[in-house]
Amino acid sequence: MSRWLPRTYLTLVYLLLYVPIAVLVVFSFNDSRTGYEWGGLSLRWYEALFNNRAMVQAMWNSLWLALSAATVSTLIGALTALALHRYRFRGKQVLNGMLFIVMMSPEIVLAISLLGLFLMVGLQLGYVSLLLAHVTFCLPFVVITVMARLSGFDERLPEAARDLGASDFTMTRTVLIPVIMPALLAGWLLGFTLSLDDVVVSTFVSGPSYEILPLRIYSMVRVGLKPEVNALGTLLLVFSLVMLMLSQWILLRSKR
Amino acid sequence: MKQTLLSLSKLSKQFDDRKVLDSLDLEIFDGEFITLLGPSGCGKTTLLRMMAGFEHPDEGSITLGSQDLTHTPPEARPLNTVFQNYALFPHMSVFDNVAYGLKMENRPKPEIQQRVEEALAMVQLEDFAKRKPHQLSGGQQQRVAIARAVVKRPKMLLLDEPLSALDYKLRRTMQVELKRLQRELGITFVFVTHDQEEALSMSDRIVVLKDGLIQQLGTPREVYERPANLFTARFVGETNFFPGRVDALNDDGTIIVDVFGLKRRFRKPDFSVVEGQPLHVLLRPEDIRVLAPGDDDGVAGKVVERNYKGSTLDSVIHLTDGTEVLASEFFDEDDPTFDYRLGEPVRVSWVDGWEWLLPEEPAVVAEEETVDG
Amino acid sequence: MGNTLQQPFRTAVLVLVWGWLLLLVFTPNLLVVGASVMTRDPSTFISLPMNLDAYRQLLNPLYLDVFLHSLYMAAMTTLICLVIGYPFAWSLSKVARKNRLLLIFLLIVPFWTNSLVRTYALKLILATNGLLNNALMAMGIIDEPMQMLYTEGAVIIGLVYLLLPFMILPLYTVFEDLREDFLRASHDLGAGRWSTFIHVIVPLTLPGVLAGVMLVLLPAMGLFFVPDVLGGSRNLLVGNVIKNQFLDARNWPFGAAASIMLTLAMAFLMFAHRLSKRRIGEDGV
């Protein structure tokens, strides 16, 4: 009993987690218009999806936003992690604490505070405001990922490089960056996914000039059922699954 | 006077095809300090955990007095354990850690208070009752772990390599401390270690284990001076193994053995010997005498290493046939011959009567060298 | 050695990071605090004079009801996540190491999947003529479809579904760190299963419980899209109120005050979490 009871329980919870996803995937191939009954296999919702110009535009917008937000946050996040790891400076604890608070605080609190800022400085809501916001909430996750990698590596490596005549900058470029490369990639993928997934912050800081995918989905699913969303959800699922496997593979490979 | 407290009978245990204990019998006497000694994987920890109730034997039984404990859960056994890394509850104060066992017995509060204070006084930690384990040093944590176990007044204390996490000096102090506690409390201690020095200095009896089998059971002196087999001889202390051959059997209970061409007269060993039989002559480094090259006793050799150890001077000597000999001599300021230099020729001998004979063990000998470092 | 390059590099990095955080985290939050004590203004959003009207408005029975209802749903969500997650994390920590990695991977896959899409997937199941109703009717358990969508229950189910991994992961961490020796020591000292659970397992896993509560309870008050998709207009979260005040009603002081309440709740939970870690001698983060 002590062996099969936990296993049955684990299986049951996993089932609950995956049934809705499975339903979504299955129904994305459903030919029926009502969305509840099975009407045979079909790719019509995928077709409808790609024929919807606004939808395709939102997809590209989202993709571009996620790419740029992930890249910027990885750059700044990596530098922050390096600074936190290597330098002693006043206010280090405060910096750490601020990053932690950004990570823990409810997204909606971040969202309204950024909205307030953008309106006050008169920034047009659109791509730039979205980018700034997304980078801000991705930042702590990148920092943590890189810090974890840095804390696991030999303190003497940078010292050895300096001892052999490398300047601090050269050492960072030739020793530290290669060491944290896997963490950079993993952090980038995490940032990319977080950005692509975000609804709460984007709702506040996006404007009509730049419509992104989650908001488009949001407006579609608030009322009734839209079979195209099944198809879109399936695509997103496959996409994030590939991204996740990629990042796990990178992390696992680097541990060897 | 020696009364059996715990008896283990025909204990066997297997983990995935590997026999950890093989039909093991052992009687533990009331009030003794007994040590389970062996290399890692010899089954000593499994054996201890079986006594505590964390493992269950596949076969065999454990009885305490007249009570069969084989299937009793750990919480119902009148034995307590001092864990390897102490396992002090990190969320409780020192006091609460020590009081835990008494609370589980639902003792009245005043009694708990008094007994915990006594136990802490016994390990000299009265002033640390309010601290948390992580605020204590390793040695102090060790004492708390002991107090927590003995406060329940167990019939027996099981100690699982309790000193392994401490540094050398602290380990020596704790050895003396443990010995004192055991005398004062009169509780049976079962002590697990892989450190032979620790075992020799603390135990009343030592159980030498290997591959789940008892290799030897005896007092430290017996185990050190009269090892039952090559494994025990190698594992406990350093030993020179000289190849010998029985030259003649005498009527007076002695035999003549040829060692490096020397004909030495030895007491007849416990095992049967025939003329021409090869055997091992065991000599501890401190039994070896290093003589001047002109001496007519002993075998010729050359000093290849000298290590000053404070009270002794240890040398490695290569005999002409290549055999390596370890010698450990006490300083004798007045002896002019004492100080040999590296590379200097010497002769090696020993005091007759200090040797120990063991028969050949073909399977083991094949894979090991004649002299073990 | 290298000092000529070290100083500018170091300075540049620190200026960039501090600049970003001060501009996009510190200042905006200060603005929110400021806005909460200002007066509502339809054209400029906020204006002088300063007052505590917004905080007073929080106590308005109309909103108080919504907040309490939101708190109730968040608490239920947290409780359900804890009840499901605690034994789940415990069981997970006992699975053989090789399989465990795969199981954890399976646990974070949903986390990487668009949460809005997953909420929508629940709608497929819970709708009046959705899968669950059809299945129950086919099995003869109910005769006519039950109203499942647009109920309080649907919101809670949605929140649990989205937030369960956030409860499980910190719990799993504490269970993985829970040394078998502590449990053995407890049994050795005479404690049975129940005593060991109460006196040893619960206190040692408490930091994980609190971390999980923090990661579930706060989002459970903020994820406004869950009620929007599953809950209808009567099951609102604090997040919905804040969103409405900022984007529709244009009452910034009130929205800001509500968001400050959320932040205070977070601060309180973080403090409790830190305290619980201190107790067992770990440094709180």
Side-chain angles (χ1 to χ4, degrees):
Chain A
M1 181 189 126
S2 61
R3 273 182 94 81
W4 66 258
L5 191 67
R7 281 187 192 180
T8 316
Y9 183 67
L10 288 175
T11 315
L12 199 73
V13 175
Y14 276 113
L15 220 57
L16 285 177
L17 281 177
Y18 277 90
V19 160
I21 295 176
V23 167
L24 184 84
V25 173
V26 170
F27 271 72
S28 76
F29 298 105
N30 188 4
D31 197 27
S32 153
R33 173 154 274 287
T34 60
Y36 300 114
E37 273 136 27
W38 185 249
L41 269 178
S42 151
L43 288 176
R44 62 183 283 196
W45 303 120
Y46 289 89
E47 220 180 299
L49 199 62
F50 287 109
N51 285 332
N52 184 337
R53 285 187 54 123
M55 182 69 98
V56 173
Q57 183 58 47
M59 250 187 249
W60 284 119
N61 284 348
S62 263
L63 217 54
W64 176 239
L65 175 65
L67 274 169
S68 43
T71 307
V72 176
S73 62
T74 303
L75 271 174
I76 302 178
L79 289 173
T80 309
L82 282 172
L84 282 172
H85 181 74
R86 306 228 6 254
Y87 301 137
R88 281 160 196 278
F89 53 89
R90 230 182 286 166
K92 195 168 174 172
Q93 286 303 317
V94 182
L95 187 63
N96 248 326
M98 257 167 119
L99 287 167
F100 186 65
I101 287 172
V102 174
M103 196 162 65
M104 296 305 299
S105 57
E107 285 170 285
I108 192 154
V109 175
L110 184 76
I112 59 159
S113 69
L114 285 171
L115 175 65
L117 177 79
F118 295 151
L119 289 183
M120 201 185 77
V121 300
L123 181 72
Q124 169 97 48
L125 293 182
Y127 172 72
V128 177
S129 61
L130 279 166
L131 179 65
L132 288 174
H134 281 213
V135 170
T136 304
F137 71 69
C138 291
L139 202 57
F141 291 94
V142 177
V143 174
I144 281 203
T145 314
V146 178
M147 284 284 271
R149 176 81 182 165
L150 280 173
S151 67
F153 109 111
D154 191 348
E155 276 306 323
R156 271 167 232 109
L157 281 183
E159 284 172 12
R162 299 293 300 277
D163 186 63
L164 293 169
S167 70
D168 196 50
F169 179 76
T170 315
M171 186 280 296
T172 304
R173 191 170 51 83
T174 54
V175 178
L176 279 185
I177 305 276
V179 165
I180 59 172
M181 205 56 201
L184 291 186
L185 285 171
W188 189 89
L189 287 167
L190 184 60
F192 185 85
T193 315
L194 285 172
S195 166
L196 208 56
D197 183 40
D198 175 70
V199 182
V200 175
V201 176
S202 304
T203 303
F204 285 81
V205 298
S206 75
S209 64
Y210 201 82
E211 192 185 29
I212 54 172
L213 199 57
L215 296 186
R216 174 120 204 120
I217 302 176
Y218 187 36
S219 63
M220 286 172 77
V221 299
R222 288 175 79 160
V223 280
L225 294 173
K226 297 279 184 321
E228 296 105 302
V229 176
N230 298 342
L232 184 61
T234 305
L235 288 180
L236 282 173
L237 177 72
V238 172
F239 190 66
S240 40
L241 208 60
V242 170
M243 298 288 272
L244 180 59
M245 283 194 326
L246 214 58
S247 86
Q248 293 289 312
W249 181 71
I250 288 166
L251 280 178
L252 278 180
R253 210 183 52 150
S254 68
K255 274 188 188 145
R256 299 239 170 90
Chain B
M1 175 190 153
K2 277 181 184 165
Q3 214 176 352
T4 301
L5 178 65
L6 188 80
S7 72
L8 312 173
S9 138
K10 305 241 172 312
L11 287 184
S12 293
K13 178 82 183 175
Q14 205 155 332
F15 288 136
D16 320 313
D17 299 344
R18 204 171 67 84
K19 264 216 155 96
V20 187
L21 291 179
D22 194 357
S23 190
L24 182 141
D25 292 301
L26 180 64
E27 307 261 286
I28 294 171
F29 303 135
D30 199 4
E32 77 171 327
F33 194 122
I34 189 167
T35 297
L36 310 179
L37 175 69
S40 61
C42 70
K44 56 187 191 299
T45 299
T46 308
L47 190 57
L48 192 83
R49 287 157 53 104
M50 251 175 214
M51 296 183 206
F54 303 131
E55 301 278 0
H56 296 284
D58 298 336
E59 278 164 57
S61 67
I62 302 171
T63 36
L64 181 86
S66 57
Q67 188 189 357
D68 183 5
L69 287 186
T70 317
H71 301 291
T72 312
E75 59 264 34
R77 297 188 186 203
L79 319 171
N80 288 112
T81 308
V82 175
F83 290 85
Q84 183 165 14
N85 292 309
Y86 321 134
L88 297 177
F89 303 125
H91 57 294
M92 295 180 195
S93 66
V94 166
F95 184 94
D96 289 335
N97 260 287
V98 179
Y100 189 83
L102 298 175
K103 280 183 190 150
M104 292 304 132
E105 291 175 7
N106 292 318
R107 299 272 168 193
K109 263 215 160 116
E111 185 191 337
I112 293 180
Q113 179 80 27
Q114 194 204 338
R115 280 173 67 177
V116 172
E117 276 167 11
E118 277 170 19
L120 286 177
M122 194 181 62
V123 294
Q124 286 128 37
L125 284 177
E126 308 91 312
D127 302 333
F128 293 81
K130 289 205 177 74
R131 298 256 187 116
K132 288 281 177 67
H134 63 93
Q135 297 168 315
L136 301 179
S137 71
Q140 289 167 337
Q141 291 185 18
Q142 168 75 80
R143 287 161 202 262
V144 178
I146 294 167
R148 184 176 73 173
V150 298
V151 77
K152 296 207 24 148
R153 297 182 187 143
K155 292 246 168 62
M156 208 166 167
L157 195 63
L158 309 173
L159 302 106
D160 185 8
E161 306 221 17
L163 307 182
S164 61
L166 304 178
D167 65 51
Y168 180 75
K169 229 178 145 182
L170 201 52
R171 208 153 65 217
R172 299 309 299 250
T173 322
M174 284 310 295
Q175 286 175 10
V176 177
E177 184 100 338
L178 275 177
K179 211 45 208 165
R180 172 184 71 84
L181 274 173
Q182 197 249 343
R183 262 197 317 273
E184 277 174 17
L185 294 164
I187 300 178
T188 308
F189 275 35
V190 182
F191 189 88
V192 161
T193 185
H194 62 266
D195 181 341
Q196 38 102 7
E197 215 176 303
E198 207 165 87
L200 290 174
S201 67
M202 298 173 76
S203 323
D204 295 324
R205 288 197 302 163
I206 295 176
V207 183
V208 183
L209 280 166
K210 186 198 163 211
D211 300 336
L213 290 168
I214 295 183
Q215 304 293 311
Q216 185 164 7
L217 170 61
T219 64
R221 207 182 169 124
E222 282 165 355
V223 169
Y224 188 74
E225 293 182 0
R226 300 195 287 282
N229 53 31
L230 291 179
F231 172 79
T232 308
R234 280 204 185 92
F235 192 75
V236 183
E238 284 184 301
T239 311
N240 294 301
F241 294 81
F242 292 160
R245 181 174 298 277
V246 180
D247 208 45
L249 299 166
N250 297 339
D251 296 335
D252 60 353
T254 59
I255 56 175
I256 306 292
V257 177
D258 180 328
V259 192
F260 301 125
L262 303 171
K263 305 270 195 270
R264 304 297 282 247
R265 181 190 292 265
F266 294 148
R267 258 192 328 265
K268 194 170 175 299
D270 295 337
F271 54 94
S272 64
V273 285
V274 294
E275 221 166 285
Q277 177 187 342
L279 42 68
H280 292 285
V281 179
L282 274 60
L283 285 159
R284 298 290 183 184
E286 60 271 23
D287 300 341
I288 300 289
R289 291 285 163 270
V290 184
L291 308 172
D295 209 292
D296 44 352
D297 189 17
V299 204
K302 194 171 68 177
V303 179
V304 295
E305 236 182 277
R306 303 226 86 181
N307 291 314
Y308 174 70
K309 285 279 175 65
S311 56
T312 62
L313 188 63
D314 294 355
S315 338
V316 181
I317 296 159
H318 275 180
L319 301 184
T320 33
D321 71 341
T323 310
E324 209 177 64
V325 180
L326 303 174
S328 179
E329 301 162 280
F330 282 95
F331 277 119
D332 183 355
E333 307 266 334
D334 303 329
D335 189 351
T337 65
F338 185 76
D339 198 17
Y340 298 103
R341 279 190 302 275
L342 280 185
E344 209 173 323
V346 289
R347 293 187 80 80
V348 169
S349 183
W350 61 89
V351 182
D352 275 331
W354 288 9
E355 75 291 323
W356 181 248
L357 300 178
L358 283 177
E360 294 247 294
E361 292 171 27
V364 185
V365 170
E367 65 191 43
E368 308 245 3
E369 290 167 18
T370 334
V371 175
D372 200 348
Chain C
M1 195 176 59
N3 268 342
T4 43
L5 273 172
Q6 178 182 359
Q7 285 312 321
F9 181 58
R10 184 192 134 122
T11 313
V13 170
L14 289 181
V15 164
L16 177 65
V17 172
W18 273 116
W20 192 284
L21 288 178
L22 285 179
L23 190 66
L24 287 149
V25 178
F26 187 69
T27 317
N29 278 299
L30 218 58
L31 277 177
V32 172
V33 176
S36 74
V37 292
M38 300 291 249
T39 308
R40 173 184 182 186
D41 187 305
S43 57
T44 58
F45 301 116
I46 47 174
S47 62
L48 290 167
M50 284 167 67
N51 55 50
L52 291 176
D53 282 356
Y55 291 93
R56 237 166 266 136
Q57 205 181 343
L58 286 176
L59 299 175
N60 178 328
L62 183 70
Y63 290 110
L64 203 60
D65 271 358
V66 174
F67 291 148
L68 288 179
H69 188 52
S70 170
L71 190 65
Y72 165 76
M73 287 192 291
M76 281 308 287
T77 302
T78 311
L79 191 68
I80 294 170
C81 282
L82 186 61
V83 167
I84 298 178
Y86 199 82
F88 184 90
W90 198 348
S91 311
L92 192 62
S93 73
K94 289 188 181 298
V95 173
R97 186 151 202 96
K98 200 177 54 181
N99 302 332
R100 212 155 51 186
L101 284 176
L102 178 71
L103 289 180
I104 291 168
F105 178 77
L106 286 177
L107 199 63
I108 49 179
V109 167
F111 167 70
W112 280 61
T113 313
N114 195 294
S115 44
L116 194 55
V117 168
R118 281 187 296 141
T119 313
Y120 170 75
L122 280 180
K123 200 170 188 173
L124 285 176
I125 293 173
L126 296 175
T128 312
N129 42 1
L131 283 181
L132 190 58
N133 267 319
N134 285 345
L136 289 176
M137 285 201 292
M139 285 189 285
I141 296 174
I142 51 172
D143 294 328
E144 52 189 69
M146 289 195 299
Q147 176 66 40
M148 292 192 243
L149 213 52
Y150 310 123
T151 61
E152 179 187 289
V155 175
I156 294 176
I157 289 175
L159 290 171
V160 168
Y161 181 56
L162 291 186
L163 298 170
L164 185 59
F166 292 91
M167 178 62 88
I168 291 174
L169 288 174
L171 281 173
Y172 167 74
T173 313
V174 286
F175 272 114
E176 206 189 21
D177 287 348
L178 184 66
R179 277 168 46 203
E180 199 70 27
D181 262 2
F182 290 141
L183 312 191
R184 285 202 197 103
S186 175
H187 288 304
D188 189 72
L189 293 166
R193 277 159 182 261
W194 179 245
S195 293
T196 302
F197 179 71
I198 291 297
H199 296 296
V200 178
I201 298 180
V202 168
L204 287 180
T205 53
L206 195 61
V209 173
L210 287 172
V213 167
M214 188 155 67
L215 289 173
V216 171
L217 190 67
L218 292 171
M221 291 195 276
L223 289 176
F224 55 77
F225 60 83
V226 175
D228 275 354
V229 176
L230 298 173
S233 57
R234 263 175 304 163
N235 299 294
L236 298 178
L237 304 183
V238 178
N240 296 77
V241 175
I242 298 177
K243 177 177 157 252
N244 292 341
Q245 294 304 318
F246 266 88
L247 297 185
D248 306 327
R250 301 278 165 179
N251 186 349
W252 280 34
F254 181 57
S259 114
I260 285 170
M261 298 324 284
L262 264 189
T263 312
L264 287 180
M266 174 188 77
F268 173 75
L269 287 172
M270 275 167 72
F271 178 69
H273 176 241
R274 215 185 152 100
L275 218 61
S276 74
K277 279 188 110 169
R278 278 256 173 86
R279 248 167 65 98
I280 60 171
E282 286 175 34
D283 288 333
V285 193

